[in-house]
Amino acid sequence: MKVLGIISSLTDPASRARVLQYIRPLSKEKIFIKPRFFIPDPYADPDPWAYKLKKFTGINEYRFLSAQRIIKRLPLFWEQLKYDLIWQNRLILFKSSFFEKKLQKTTAFDFDDALWVYDGEKQVSEAISASQIVFAGNEYLADFAKKSNNNVFIIPSTIDTDHLFPKKKDTNYFTIGWIGSSFNFQFLEMIRPAVEFLLSTNKDVRFMAVSSAPPPQFIFNNDRMIFKQWSAEEESNLINEFSVGLMPLAENDFTKGKCSYKMLQYMACGVPVIVSPVGMNVKILSQREVGLSAITNEDWIAALQKLKNDAGFYRACQINGPLLIEEDYSVKKYAPVIANLLRKTTK
């Protein structure tokens, strides 16, 4: 089976977690995925030429950007003919279901965020309705999808355990760690006071942030406040430097759809977690003893202190994390499930 995998980019977390990491295991099932992504991305600014054209035509530069996005996606109409199925992660065109309604091939719509909050409920519902099968990352997302499609399956975000796994830690520091995209910088203010308190009261504590750019909430000095550039190649080594992994989230309609990918990454590396009790985080915490939840600043401080000082609890979380990943959140478990569903959909 030949599958066209429509994704946001090769480095986008959702693209990697939902589609790209299945390329190798699904090839063993004789399902071959060709990734396809589009530039500019949904949040790009118009090109300089668009501003120049505006001076002569009076047409808003963002209209040129919209036209550019559509033109870049038009080849999909003949590219699709080479494939048996389209597996798309999110909408093909930002805030539009135009392409989903026009494509002729069997489509699997896959999503791990509450896309309708930013893309529009009507647009996302239309894309889901036009698909033959839907993969939703959790129950909250599945409930939304079932309003428009009867063929909905919960496929949680999973971990490639050949890529992320526990490694020996060579440091005397208790390293408070966070990994994430710049979109999630907004949540770091929730943990900043607790992190600063732990650093001020414990000389053996340090903080490490891993992202594409330094989070503005912190001042990094490469001593006990460390920033490291994310890369796919170094991701496993970087997470394994953490003693504890944090996942702060505000609670709103968008974050309720979060599929806990950051939390799962920590767990796969044997790193105990402290997370906001939002979205799928609550379910995962209830399955095994892998860490703690926190809401207030006092909660974050208490949770950090417990994991730092309670060796027995810490060790239990270290052991349970990778076990739960293997049991319920691994690529190895879900690759055969996805392969079976894709085959049934194309029959």
Side-chain angles (χ1 to χ4, degrees):
M1 182 191 301
K2 295 174 66 178
V3 175
L4 180 62
I6 300 176
I7 59 175
S8 298
S9 76
L10 295 176
T11 58
D12 171 64
S15 301
R16 293 170 58 234
R18 305 296 297 182
V19 178
L20 292 174
Q21 67 178 355
Y22 283 102
I23 291 178
R24 182 170 52 86
L26 287 183
S27 68
K28 297 176 182 178
E29 301 274 353
K30 305 301 181 184
I31 297 175
F32 303 100
I33 303 168
K34 171 68 175 178
R36 181 80 157 85
F37 61 96
F38 298 97
I39 298 174
D41 66 60
Y43 309 104
D45 290 324
D47 289 332
W49 58 262
Y51 292 95
K52 293 178 181 178
L53 281 176
K54 180 183 178 181
K55 293 180 180 179
F56 295 101
T57 65
I59 299 174
N60 185 281
E61 63 273 16
Y62 282 93
R63 287 188 177 272
F64 288 116
L65 179 60
S66 296
Q68 184 182 11
R69 288 172 176 160
I70 292 171
I71 291 168
K72 284 180 177 290
R73 288 156 174 77
L74 287 177
L76 277 176
F77 287 120
W78 53 89
E79 281 183 38
Q80 65 173 322
L81 303 177
K82 304 175 185 177
Y83 298 90
D84 302 300
L85 179 139
I86 294 171
W87 184 3
Q88 70 176 93
N89 175 241
R90 308 187 177 190
L91 294 181
I92 295 172
L93 185 64
F94 189 50
K95 292 187 176 182
S96 171
S97 57
F98 171 80
F99 282 91
E100 285 81 0
K101 291 188 289 186
K102 300 292 184 182
L103 292 175
Q104 299 170 342
K105 282 292 178 179
T106 299
T107 302
F109 188 86
D110 186 306
F111 68 129
D112 66 342
D113 274 323
L115 301 181
W116 62 90
V117 174
Y118 294 107
D119 281 319
E121 186 169 340
K122 177 177 180 290
Q123 291 85 343
V124 176
S125 295
E126 287 176 343
I128 289 172
S129 178
S131 302
Q132 283 67 50
I133 188 170
V134 179
F135 297 155
N138 59 32
E139 291 183 13
Y140 177 74
L141 302 177
D143 288 343
F144 176 86
K146 287 174 182 176
K147 299 175 186 177
S148 307
N149 195 306
N150 293 324
N151 201 29
V152 178
F153 296 87
I154 295 177
I155 303 292
S157 292
T158 56
I159 297 294
D160 179 354
T161 51
D162 291 334
H163 172 58
L164 293 179
F165 53 88
K167 298 178 182 179
K168 185 178 179 181
K169 295 173 173 58
D170 297 318
T171 179
N172 293 322
Y173 279 104
F174 182 83
T175 304
I176 302 169
W178 178 88
I179 188 170
S181 67
S182 57
F183 175 84
N184 292 307
F185 286 174
Q186 60 186 299
F187 305 121
L188 288 176
E189 186 59 33
M190 298 171 62
I191 62 169
R192 183 184 57 78
V195 169
E196 291 178 348
F197 177 81
L198 263 289
L199 265 72
S200 67
T201 55
N202 298 270
K203 292 185 177 180
D204 62 340
V205 171
R206 64 179 182 175
F207 176 70
M208 181 185 297
V210 178
S211 189
S212 58
Q217 289 85 353
F218 297 96
I219 298 174
F220 296 94
N221 56 22
N222 293 321
D223 180 16
R224 293 169 61 208
M225 293 292 293
I226 302 166
F227 167 75
K228 293 200 175 182
Q229 187 81 27
W230 177 88
S231 73
E233 295 76 20
E234 285 298 310
E235 184 175 58
S236 181
N237 291 331
L238 292 169
I239 295 176
N240 270 284
E241 290 191 50
F242 298 170
S243 304
V244 58
L246 307 187
M247 185 178 176
L249 285 174
E251 184 166 9
N252 53 49
D253 288 342
F254 182 73
T255 58
K256 287 176 185 176
K258 287 287 186 180
C259 293
S260 305
Y261 186 58
K262 193 190 318 295
M263 180 182 184
L264 297 173
Q265 287 180 300
Y266 299 149
M267 290 162 50
C269 294
V271 176
V273 303
I274 306 174
V275 301
S276 297
V278 176
M280 202 166 169
N281 291 359
V282 178
K283 176 184 177 181
I284 296 173
L285 279 178
S286 72
Q287 290 181 271
R288 273 185 181 267
E289 196 171 62
V290 296
L292 298 163
S293 65
I295 299 175
T296 66
N297 182 52
E298 290 73 21
D299 292 340
W300 287 100
I301 291 173
L304 285 166
Q305 289 175 329
K306 181 170 179 61
L307 283 168
K308 184 178 186 299
N309 299 321
D310 189 335
F313 177 69
Y314 184 89
R315 182 57 181 154
C317 294
Q318 274 189 312
I319 294 170
N320 286 331
L323 289 176
L324 184 55
I325 295 297
E326 289 285 355
E327 290 171 356
D328 289 336
Y329 301 100
S330 70
V331 169
K332 291 175 183 176
K333 175 175 180 175
Y334 275 94
V337 175
I338 292 172
N340 185 47
L341 290 171
L342 293 180
R343 288 194 191 98
K344 286 182 178 179
T345 304
T346 53
K347 283 184 179 179

